[in-house]
Amino acid sequence: MTIETEICVIGGGPAGAVTAMRLAHLGRRVCLVERAGFPRQHVGESLAPSIWPILEMLGLSGQIQQAGFLSAIGSVLHWGGTFERRGTGERRAGLLIDRGLFDSIVLNSAKEAGVRVLQPVRAYRPVRNNQRWNIPLKTDEGPSRIVSNVLVDAAGRQAGLGRSYRSASAPLLCLYAYWRAPTGFGAQARVEAGHSHWYWSALLPDGIVNAMVFVDPVTCTGLSPSDRRDLYLNLLAQSTLLSPCLEHRRIGPVRRSDATSLCEVTPPAPDLLRVGEASLTVDPLSSQGVQLAMGQAVQAATVVNTLLLRPEDTGIALTFYNDRQLERVRAHAGLAADFYARQQRVCDTDFWAKRATACSWVGCHSENFEEAELPRTEHLILSRRTRIEEAGIQTDTFIQPGIVVVHHNLPRPVANIEGIPLAPLLGLLKKPAHAQDILSRWSGVVDAQKAKRILAWLWRNRILVAAR
């Protein structure tokens, strides 16, 4: 059997399902292939409050709210020699989820949007043939294939799709197991630093705790499964926050998972994009993997829609997608390194030292903010390091050319601030001027309060500097 489609998405996790769903919403014909039956067990059960805007944009927030997941009010940390609680003042709570149920909800929504889902079906290595993709399949009914114009690789970390990964961090291995929850184990993620390892845990629905220990993979070199189990249990016993798990029943074996931060370095092509863990993985300290994958999936769908309907914008769309991938890698590598450095200051072991600095090739964004108050009497001028140039801008349906502001203090090119195009405002600043004069020049295009905030932002980021 041969299935003809515009787009084939391989992988039905959050990244693949959201990419397929968004493309279906945009009117594209999409076929998704998922090798596993759902629900399936999967790590990545803690979602930060930043997941809610993505769920709302996708129309999934109602279903997720009704699914019975736990609300996570902040986190408890034992790190850098201190105990602290974080995120307790968030306007919205995060979520502690059953990934099997969560992934099923997202994939079912893709089906309802019109995506043809083949599951459980294994896809083998795709082959380009006459400018189209041939994807061999193995189904219960026998061999089959998909022929598509565009391929989206959302198959997680699994090999076999011609990837080329580059490490964005020192190697990291996760040992984990599920436990019956100890009494009083609240609905907050728990993060704790050990001597040469660190811990993460959270209470999940149905009174289950996932207790993880992150170690250097060298620690487990040559160990048998039983030796790894003993190492895990011994390290768990050393934890202040997680050791109560040992007083309760363990559910299933001690498992392991590669937790190294990776970046797939093959440039995106007009007929091939990678999304989710097929594109990048970030340090688990952030608990941002799922929402990063879903946010990138929305961008991937917009890029694919552009490739198919506006081929004249192919170059700018692919550059946009590649740049956003590198931004995510840099931002999270920098945040993780800062967090590891904090622990190194109180426990200077090799484990922390190797992770306290991001890999040199990543080139993490370094903010250089001007802390001084916006001067009222000095003349201000546009910094020589500020560039105004054309780049891709994301809309609801396409990546289109637009004018952006580029500066080394900005993590990405900026087109708009508070909905106001930035480049035209900067175009009014060709000569040095006082802050009040600048606000007067802008008065015809932006209201006074918004203009003050934009001006302060330009000064803080050193896009505007004192004219000396």
Side-chain angles (χ1 to χ4, degrees):
M1 178 179 69
T2 298
I3 299 171
E4 298 262 352
T5 188
E6 278 188 296
I7 303 136
C8 176
V9 178
I10 300 179
V18 169
T19 303
M21 184 196 314
R22 284 291 293 166
L23 283 165
H25 288 159
L26 293 170
R28 308 274 63 82
R29 287 186 298 115
V30 189
C31 184
L32 182 148
V33 182
E34 168 54 49
R35 64 176 178 171
F38 280 14
R40 56 168 184 182
Q41 184 271 330
H42 201 290
V43 295
E45 296 109 335
S46 176
L47 305 182
S50 55
I51 192 66
W52 286 111
I54 299 173
L55 295 174
E56 287 163 356
M57 185 265 292
L58 295 170
L60 294 172
S61 59
Q63 294 181 66
I64 297 302
Q65 287 173 332
Q66 295 170 13
F69 300 136
L70 299 177
S71 294
I73 308 298
S75 56
V76 180
L77 286 84
H78 183 197
W79 201 276
T82 62
F83 279 95
E84 61 180 296
R85 293 182 180 271
R86 287 193 173 185
T88 54
E90 293 280 356
R91 185 175 63 87
R92 298 190 73 170
L95 291 170
L96 299 172
I97 61 172
D98 175 341
R99 273 293 299 277
L101 178 55
F102 181 88
D103 290 6
S104 295
I105 291 172
V106 180
L107 186 57
N108 286 336
S109 295
K111 292 179 185 177
E112 293 170 1
V115 176
R116 181 172 182 177
V117 176
L118 306 180
Q119 182 189 35
V121 170
R122 180 176 289 273
Y124 290 93
R125 187 161 187 161
V127 177
R128 283 188 178 99
N129 186 10
N130 296 326
Q131 298 184 330
R132 301 194 77 192
W133 286 100
N134 281 267
I135 303 107
L137 307 176
K138 182 180 180 181
T139 71
D140 291 340
E141 290 77 31
S144 181
R145 68 172 184 153
I146 293 174
V147 178
S148 72
N149 299 328
V150 176
L151 176 65
V152 177
D153 175 8
R157 294 189 186 220
Q158 72 181 54
L161 290 172
R163 301 193 194 127
S164 179
Y165 281 118
R166 189 172 188 181
S167 294
S169 72
L172 194 65
L173 182 70
C174 174
L175 304 176
Y176 67 101
Y178 293 92
W179 301 80
R180 286 294 174 194
T183 303
F185 206 97
Q188 301 97 17
R190 299 181 177 211
V191 184
E192 179 178 359
H195 182 264
S196 292
H197 55 277
W198 61 275
Y199 307 90
W200 180 94
S201 72
L203 177 67
L204 306 179
D206 300 325
I208 304 297
V209 170
N210 185 359
M212 297 180 166
V213 184
F214 293 89
V215 300
D216 193 306
V218 173
T219 307
C220 295
T221 300
L223 296 186
S224 66
S226 61
D227 289 337
R228 282 198 305 271
R229 177 202 62 205
D230 292 344
L231 172 65
Y232 168 81
L233 295 175
N234 287 333
L235 292 176
L236 202 63
Q238 298 172 29
S239 167
T240 301
L241 297 178
L242 276 65
S243 57
C245 292
L246 294 170
E247 301 173 7
H248 297 262
R249 183 167 64 88
R250 191 176 83 238
I251 303 168
V254 175
R255 300 174 172 91
R256 60 177 172 171
S257 177
D258 182 13
T260 307
S261 298
L262 301 171
C263 178
E264 211 286 331
V265 295
T266 307
D271 61 351
L272 173 62
L273 264 66
R274 305 186 193 277
V275 67
E277 289 194 337
S279 170
L280 73 150
T281 62
V282 298
D283 195 287
L285 268 173
S286 70
S287 293
Q288 293 276 335
V290 172
Q291 47 264 56
L292 276 178
M294 294 174 75
Q296 187 190 29
V298 173
Q299 289 183 341
T302 309
V303 170
V304 171
N305 197 50
T306 304
L307 300 176
L308 291 172
L309 297 185
R310 294 187 177 178
E312 68 274 15
D313 290 334
T314 291
I316 208 164
L318 294 178
T319 298
F320 171 90
Y321 192 71
N322 193 60
D323 288 350
R324 299 298 85 75
Q325 178 202 30
L326 292 176
E327 283 167 13
R328 291 180 175 94
V329 172
R330 287 173 182 146
H332 285 270
L335 289 171
D338 289 346
F339 214 65
Y340 285 123
R342 177 182 162 191
Q343 176 62 19
Q344 185 199 12
R345 289 193 285 270
V346 299
C347 184
D348 192 13
T349 65
D350 187 56
F351 177 87
W352 301 109
K354 286 197 300 185
R355 293 164 176 80
T357 304
C359 292
S360 59
W361 76 266
V362 173
C364 294
H365 167 65
S366 178
E367 295 178 342
N368 181 27
F369 289 145
E370 174 59 65
E371 296 295 337
E373 184 179 351
L374 180 70
R376 303 299 176 186
T377 58
E378 289 187 73
H379 283 85
L380 304 178
I381 194 169
L382 207 59
S383 165
R384 293 180 180 179
R385 296 184 176 184
T386 302
R387 305 193 312 277
I388 298 176
E389 56 189 45
E390 185 177 77
I393 296 175
Q394 183 178 0
T395 69
D396 289 342
T397 53
F398 297 106
I399 306 299
Q400 62 186 30
I403 303 303
V404 300
V405 175
V406 180
H407 190 282
H408 73 95
N409 276 352
L410 301 176
R412 68 187 59 84
V414 176
N416 301 286
I417 295 290
E418 298 193 34
I420 303 298
L422 189 57
L425 295 182
L426 298 188
L428 298 174
L429 306 181
K430 297 185 183 300
K431 295 181 180 180
H434 292 115
Q436 192 57 48
D437 293 335
I438 293 172
L439 295 174
S440 296
R441 293 179 191 180
W442 289 353
S443 61
V445 291
V446 58
D447 72 71
Q449 292 304 313
K450 189 175 290 187
K452 289 179 181 178
R453 293 194 297 271
I454 293 174
L455 185 59
W457 180 87
L458 292 170
W459 169 257
R460 190 169 62 250
N461 284 282
R462 304 298 288 144
I463 295 167
L464 281 181
V465 295
R468 297 187 177 95

